[in-house]
Amino acid sequence: MAIYHLSVSNVSRASGSRATATLSYITGKRVHDERRGETYDYGRKERVLRVGTLLPEGAPAEFADPAVLFNAVELHETGRTARPAKKIVVALPREFTPRQRVQALEEYIRENLNADGYAATYAIHEDREGNNPHAHILVANRQIDPATGGWARLKQRMEYVLDERGERVPLIDPETGRQKTDKRGRRQWKRTSVSLNPLDRKAKLKALRESWAKTCNARLDETARIDHRSLEDQGSDLEPTIHEGYAARAIERAGGVSERCQTNREIRRSNSLLTAVRAELGRIFDRLGELFAAKIGRLRRRQARPEPAEPNWRYFEGDARRQLEADKADHTAAIRGKLMDARADVGNREEWWRSHGTEEHEAAKQIIDVARAASREARDANIFKRGRLLRNAEQVAGEQSERLRGAVPWLEDADIPADWDQANRFRMRTTKAIYDHDMQPRTRLVAELERRLEQAERAESERPSPEQVKALALRMAEQRAQAENPTQDTKRPAPSGDEPLDLSEPEDWGEASPFESRQAPRTKADLLNEIRQRTDRLTGQREAEQRQIDPWSAQPPQRRGHGR
């Protein structure tokens, strides 16, 4: 389930932070600090999935290298308490694909940071188990002037210092202990310099939080939307969870019990119980409303017109019950047969993959192998040829990526790496993606048939309800009455499904029990007529089932030796 998280912190020299050190931490790369002459390398390469730098309009081209960008801002800021950068951490929804993660991040940075003149570098991370997808955004804390391409001058404003009551604080002369005055005798008040950097404003930080929620929700389903507001702002009385942190989760992974994680588990348990109770109460009240409305409607119709007398349907009650049970058994058997055919089709398709593959798979392998050959040549070359061959491998990888997009247009990740090891892993991932794409319709059909079979078996094990038995027995009685007296119109309109619930009391059915045993027809003619009616009914039902759209008749299963 998608969660919302966005935090903003300062990279401040006063606290010992450096923009270059933070850059090395989030990218997992070695970064040299030109101002201090130090080199940072935090070795987090196994968790870093992607790194990118986005620049505003008018920024120098060399700033596309994040090391050059943040060395430049470190050299420009000379104060001991300077804050050369800010770091924004966002949680990436697990529902996002790798491409959607990059698209959401870059759209967010362009609209909220680049548009205001800020340059930023982002890095997408995951933990070692492939969970907790998140991103770090390192932002140069000074805007770039689009006219000059240099750092813009930060504007400042002097404001009065206010006490806890909102009043101005006087400027006291330490020698006299009185409030200072100027040459004209005017009293002096304490003043302070306030930065007008947009990233330091509370309104901008709120806009950043809201914009990240909108950017993610534009790519999420309605059931997985996130909200940047607190539970209190949303009007919810659920108890919010507390921040766990990396150390608490490390304790849990090691087999221990963290106090913070345990607290969150208790909070989630109580919130889940409260939500379930409210949902159940809502369903109860809705059901009561439906029953009450149905009862009122039925009473009004009885008052408006008297109901016609019903045929003697209890004579056909036993036949109706047996017919309902037989129909359930036939329906279950039909679904079971379709499921067997679907599973056989999946097995045949897997066997075909092991021996033949598909045209898309063969085309993708040939395209990727061309790029792999170039990367392998670059890897095995000597030091004099390696640089030229590496550039050639990158060019070939780009060209083959375009061919791969044309050959497999639905493939999400079509960027072939120029590195030999990465290209081999990319080839394996592409093969699995093509295999999953080809098998998905068949496996989805098997899952749907298994679900329908489970429902049919559950329904078959249940006894037909008295309402179902009565409805079918009534139809049988009407058919019998019409056969005996064709001139009498005993047909009733077919139920539309919008009729109110039958809330009639048991005494409305009469004194006889609906489950009492019935005697056989008196004459041989009655017995033959009943057998003929049942035969016609079964034949009509089977013909109706054959006319229904069947996925296996529209698309017959593929067997061994078939093509794509």
Side-chain angles (χ1 to χ4, degrees):
M1 178 180 179
I3 61 172
Y4 179 86
H5 173 77
L6 186 146
S7 61
V8 182
S9 59
N10 286 306
V11 178
S12 175
R13 289 180 186 167
S15 60
S17 301
R18 305 286 183 271
T20 50
T22 305
L23 177 65
S24 175
Y25 176 78
I26 69 172
T27 61
K29 297 179 181 179
R30 184 187 299 270
V31 178
H32 180 72
D33 191 325
E34 298 177 0
R35 188 178 70 87
R36 296 175 58 87
E38 298 178 355
T39 300
Y40 305 102
D41 187 3
Y42 288 96
R44 292 164 55 91
K45 298 172 184 172
E46 73 281 358
R47 296 180 55 193
V48 180
L49 303 182
R50 185 182 178 97
V51 176
T53 301
L54 301 179
L55 302 177
E57 181 181 359
E62 58 268 19
F63 281 2
D65 185 350
V68 175
L69 170 63
F70 289 98
N71 267 303
V73 74
E74 281 281 359
L75 291 172
H76 186 80
E77 302 291 347
T78 58
R80 291 181 301 173
T81 60
R83 296 178 296 178
K86 289 185 183 292
K87 185 172 73 170
I88 304 174
V89 181
V90 295
L92 295 170
R94 294 184 179 179
E95 292 81 358
F96 278 0
T97 63
R99 175 173 294 183
Q100 287 177 325
R101 294 176 182 176
V102 176
Q103 290 175 349
L105 267 178
E106 293 188 350
E107 177 183 334
Y108 176 74
I109 293 173
R110 289 192 183 97
E111 293 181 356
N112 296 275
L113 299 174
N114 293 159
D116 292 337
Y118 293 99
T121 294
Y122 68 86
I124 300 177
H125 289 187
E126 279 185 352
D127 58 16
R128 296 181 180 178
E129 289 77 20
N131 300 319
N132 187 27
H134 61 281
H136 297 258
I137 306 174
L138 188 61
V139 187
N141 201 20
R142 186 179 287 268
Q143 295 163 301
I144 295 177
D145 188 350
T148 63
W151 298 110
R153 182 177 180 181
L154 291 179
K155 297 180 181 180
Q156 295 183 346
R157 179 177 63 192
M158 300 300 294
E159 293 183 354
Y160 288 109
V161 178
L162 303 179
D163 58 13
E164 62 275 4
R165 294 176 297 180
E167 298 179 356
R168 292 180 294 180
V169 178
L171 187 62
I172 304 300
D173 188 346
E175 296 180 358
T176 62
R178 297 179 180 178
Q179 185 177 1
K180 289 185 178 182
T181 58
D182 58 7
K183 295 179 180 180
R184 298 182 181 180
R186 293 175 299 186
R187 291 179 294 179
Q188 300 294 304
W189 308 90
K190 284 187 177 181
R191 303 175 71 186
T192 182
S193 176
V194 178
S195 173
L196 298 183
N197 183 9
L199 286 180
D200 291 332
R201 299 176 185 173
K202 188 175 182 180
K204 179 64 176 178
L205 297 181
K206 288 184 177 180
L208 288 175
R209 292 180 56 81
E210 182 178 359
S211 178
W212 177 243
K214 291 182 179 179
T215 303
C216 293
N217 289 336
R219 295 168 172 82
L220 290 172
D221 294 335
E222 293 183 359
T223 58
R225 298 291 174 86
I226 59 178
D227 199 325
H228 67 285
R229 299 173 298 172
S230 63
L231 291 176
E232 182 178 359
D233 293 339
Q234 297 177 33
S236 173
D237 56 357
L238 296 178
E239 184 180 358
T241 57
I242 62 176
H243 179 67
E244 295 177 354
Y246 177 79
R249 290 192 290 268
I251 294 174
E252 294 278 331
R253 285 196 299 269
V257 178
S258 168
E259 183 178 353
R260 286 181 168 269
C261 295
Q262 182 63 25
T263 301
N264 277 343
R265 281 192 288 269
E266 294 175 358
I267 292 174
R268 295 189 186 98
R269 190 179 301 112
S270 62
N271 287 342
S272 177
L273 178 61
L274 179 60
T275 303
V277 170
R278 287 178 175 173
E280 187 64 26
L281 287 176
R283 286 192 291 268
I284 291 174
F285 284 117
D286 292 342
R287 182 59 176 167
L288 288 175
E290 293 176 359
L291 294 175
F292 182 75
K295 186 66 175 179
I296 293 299
R298 186 175 181 85
L299 292 176
R300 287 177 178 174
R301 285 191 297 273
R302 285 181 178 178
Q303 294 174 359
R305 56 178 176 83
E307 293 185 357
E310 292 182 346
N312 186 16
W313 60 271
R314 290 189 177 87
Y315 179 83
F316 299 93
E317 182 180 349
D319 292 336
R321 184 177 294 106
R322 288 188 291 271
Q323 180 63 46
L324 289 173
E325 293 174 352
D327 292 344
K328 290 180 180 179
D330 293 342
H331 181 63
T332 304
I335 296 178
R336 188 177 289 110
K338 294 178 181 179
L339 178 59
M340 293 176 60
D341 292 339
R343 287 174 175 170
D345 183 54
V346 170
N348 293 337
R349 192 60 178 175
E350 291 177 348
E351 183 67 22
W352 172 266
W353 258 92
R354 284 191 290 268
S355 58
H356 297 83
T358 62
E359 296 180 359
E360 286 185 344
H361 180 223
E362 294 299 328
K365 284 199 305 182
Q366 295 177 6
I367 293 172
I368 298 173
D369 287 344
V370 174
R372 289 173 64 242
S375 60
R376 181 175 183 178
E377 185 179 2
R379 184 198 64 176
D380 298 340
N382 55 38
I383 192 172
F384 300 104
K385 298 181 179 179
R386 185 171 301 166
R388 177 177 59 82
L389 293 178
L390 282 174
R391 290 190 295 272
N392 179 65
E394 294 176 354
Q395 181 180 359
V396 172
E399 295 173 353
Q400 296 303 112
S401 298
E402 293 298 327
R403 292 188 57 196
L404 183 59
R405 292 188 186 94
V408 192
W410 52 263
L411 189 63
E412 293 184 357
D413 184 9
D415 297 330
I416 305 175
D419 181 72
W420 164 254
D421 295 331
Q422 295 180 5
N424 289 333
R425 291 192 290 269
F426 176 81
R427 187 173 185 268
M428 296 175 62
R429 291 197 306 269
T430 303
T431 298
K432 186 178 184 304
I434 296 176
Y435 172 81
D436 293 342
H437 183 269
D438 183 62
M439 296 295 295
Q440 185 178 11
R442 297 168 175 83
T443 55
R444 185 185 301 166
L445 180 59
V446 170
E448 175 65 18
L449 290 175
E450 289 176 347
R451 183 186 65 80
R452 290 171 55 188
L453 179 61
E454 182 180 357
Q455 294 177 351
E457 290 176 345
R458 190 185 306 114
E460 184 180 3
S461 63
E462 298 175 354
R463 289 177 57 88
S465 65
E467 292 79 6
Q468 294 174 335
V469 174
K470 180 180 178 181
L472 183 56
L474 277 173
R475 290 197 295 270
M476 291 180 176
E478 291 173 355
Q479 292 175 2
R480 172 69 175 272
Q482 188 177 9
E484 293 178 351
N485 188 6
T487 60
Q488 183 180 0
D489 186 10
T490 58
K491 291 186 177 180
R492 292 189 180 184
S496 62
D498 297 330
E499 292 80 4
L501 298 177
D502 185 5
L503 301 179
S504 57
E505 288 75 10
E507 57 266 23
D508 294 343
W509 294 349
E511 297 180 357
S513 168
F515 300 105
E516 64 182 351
S517 61
R518 301 300 171 195
Q519 297 179 356
R522 296 180 181 178
T523 64
K524 186 180 298 184
D526 291 338
L527 180 60
L528 292 175
N529 189 19
E530 183 179 353
I531 294 175
R532 187 181 299 108
Q533 290 179 1
R534 294 179 62 183
T535 303
D536 294 340
R537 183 178 61 255
L538 289 175
T539 304
Q541 290 177 353
R542 289 171 182 170
E543 291 177 354
E545 289 179 357
Q546 292 177 359
R547 288 195 299 270
Q548 292 179 353
I549 297 177
D550 188 352
W552 291 102
S553 61
Q555 272 190 346
Q558 299 178 358
R559 304 301 181 186
R560 294 189 60 179
H562 66 290
R564 178 169 175 76

